[in-house]
């Protein structure tokens, strides 16, 4: 094994500075020598631009993305390198507050997922264009869907080798509260709906605001107060929701109910 096979990339939000040293220490403690590149997001652009910028500086054959408030076990790098398939990448189980969380054997199919902390070939990450900097949320999901729909398949190590922190949920919470997460999931659905994942299932993220039927359109719910409504024309019962969330509805109900729905 040659010196320094893996570079770890860590974008650092200003409020994660206190946790950063733990991430640095966990990379330095690896049983094989690794490179660690990190950068503070002073402008608060989000992780995607910083990951892409640091990716441009990587010179090792493998790369991994480690969030500033997460840490890895000392044998993480060595175990992932040993498990690396001829084509593909490696992901592992993880800990949350000491509890073992199992990753799926076939990730990114049927709504399954795993952590961003996984080991990939640097050339593969660059070939898919890294992370989409235009997305204000769910850029990790988009990244993995780009990977698996190019038949770059993940191999699971059924051991918890990452300590995952849920300390910062403000970004994802904000995206849910203002309805962006559903709109971006709808965008990803359209982006990947005709592409098959390497695990044999369609690599389409779940859209929680109800199933989309043929011909449906994505609309903004205009009413206040979390409740269900029934389509005036179709008499179809739509999911319980309220402003400013989105949902799929029949276009004839949209036309008949302009006070309830607004086309996205």
């Amino acid at each position: 094994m040659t010196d320094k096979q893996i570079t770890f990339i860590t974008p650092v939000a200003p409020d994660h500075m206190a946790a950063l040293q733990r991430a640095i220490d966990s990379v330095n403690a690896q049983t094989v020598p690794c490179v660690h590149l990190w950068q503070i997001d002073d402008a608060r652009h989000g992780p995607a631009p910083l990951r892409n910028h640091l990716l441009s500086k990587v010179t090792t054959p493998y790369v991994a993305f480690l969030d500033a408030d997460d840490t890895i076990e000392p044998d993480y790098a060595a175990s992932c390198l040993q498990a690396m398939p001829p084509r593909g990448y490696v992901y592992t189980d993880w800990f949350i507050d000491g509890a073992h969380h199992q990753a799926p054997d076939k990730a990114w199919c049927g709504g399954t997922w795993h952590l961003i902390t996984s080991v990939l070939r640097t050339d593969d990450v660059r070939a898919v264009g890294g992370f989409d900097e235009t997305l204000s949320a769910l850029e990790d999901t988009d990244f993995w869907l780009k990977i698996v729909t190019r038949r770059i398949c993940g191999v699971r190590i059924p051991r918890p080798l990452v300590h995952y922190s849920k300390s910062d949920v403000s970004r994802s919470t904000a995206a849910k509260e203002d309805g962006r997460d559903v709109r971006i999931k709808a965008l990803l659905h359209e982006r990947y709906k005709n592409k098959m994942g390497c695990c044999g299932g369609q690599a389409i993220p779940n859209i929680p605001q109800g199933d989309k039927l043929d011909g449906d359109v994505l609309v903004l719910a205009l009413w206040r107060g979390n409740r269900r409504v029934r389509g005036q024309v179709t008499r179809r019962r739509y999911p319980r929701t309220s402003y400013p969330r989105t949902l799929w509805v029949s276009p004839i109900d949209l036309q008949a109910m302009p006070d309830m729905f607004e086309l996205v």
Side-chain angles (χ1 to χ4, degrees):
M1 185 180 299
T2 60
D3 188 46
K4 296 184 179 178
Q5 294 278 296
I6 300 177
T7 296
F8 287 87
I9 286 177
T10 301
V12 188
D15 50 352
H16 283 168
M17 286 298 298
L20 174 62
Q21 190 59 51
R22 294 194 298 271
I24 293 173
D25 291 345
S26 73
V27 174
N28 290 339
Q30 292 302 294
T31 58
V32 295
C34 299
V35 180
H36 193 191
L37 300 177
W38 56 272
Q39 182 174 339
I40 301 172
D41 185 13
D42 287 319
R44 294 189 179 273
H45 290 309
L50 270 67
R51 287 173 180 159
N52 289 341
H53 173 67
L54 294 173
L55 177 65
S56 70
K57 300 177 180 297
V58 173
T59 59
T60 57
Y62 301 99
V63 66
F65 300 96
L66 177 66
D67 286 345
D69 54 348
D70 296 341
T71 61
I72 48 178
E73 289 288 296
D75 62 337
Y76 175 87
S79 298
C80 289
L81 288 173
Q82 185 176 15
M84 184 65 64
R87 174 172 169 79
Y89 70 95
V90 177
Y91 61 98
T92 78
D93 292 2
W94 61 90
F95 290 110
I96 298 180
D97 296 328
H100 179 180
H101 286 251
Q102 294 185 356
D105 287 326
K106 299 293 184 181
W108 306 105
C109 294
T112 62
W113 60 282
H114 58 66
L115 298 181
I116 188 62
T117 305
S118 307
V119 177
L120 305 99
R121 286 176 170 81
T122 304
D123 288 345
D124 286 340
V125 179
R126 288 174 174 156
V128 303
F131 293 82
D132 187 344
E133 299 180 21
T134 69
L135 297 178
S136 60
L138 297 172
E139 65 275 6
D140 290 4
T141 298
D142 176 71
F143 171 76
W144 288 116
L145 293 176
K146 286 194 292 187
I147 289 290
V148 299
T149 54
R150 286 165 172 79
R151 303 298 193 269
I152 303 170
C153 303
V155 172
R156 174 193 172 213
I157 296 178
R159 292 171 51 214
L161 296 177
V162 181
H163 293 264
Y164 176 61
S165 171
K166 300 184 72 174
S167 60
D168 181 16
V169 296
S170 58
R171 195 163 173 265
S172 60
T173 299
K176 290 179 181 178
E177 288 179 348
D178 63 21
R180 277 179 296 135
D181 69 326
V182 176
R183 289 193 288 272
I184 294 173
K185 284 177 181 178
L187 170 67
L188 298 186
H189 184 107
E190 293 300 312
R191 185 176 288 181
Y192 297 104
K193 67 180 180 180
N194 295 320
K195 298 180 180 180
M196 300 297 291
C198 59
C199 59
Q202 280 192 312
I204 301 176
N206 288 341
I207 299 177
Q209 291 292 335
D211 294 334
K212 179 186 179 184
L213 303 183
D214 288 345
D216 276 1
V217 293
L218 188 66
V219 301
L220 178 71
L222 298 179
W223 63 89
R224 307 281 179 168
N226 196 34
R227 60 187 175 89
R228 301 188 69 162
V229 300
R230 188 181 292 275
Q232 184 174 320
V233 178
T234 66
R235 307 308 297 164
R236 174 176 159 193
R237 292 193 70 196
Y238 292 111
R240 182 181 301 275
T241 190
S242 66
Y243 179 85
R245 297 189 180 277
T246 55
L247 69 159
W248 296 104
V249 304
S250 168
I252 57 177
D253 285 332
L254 167 64
Q255 184 176 9
M257 305 166 69
D259 57 328
M260 302 296 287
F261 304 127
E262 179 181 308
L263 187 64
V264 174

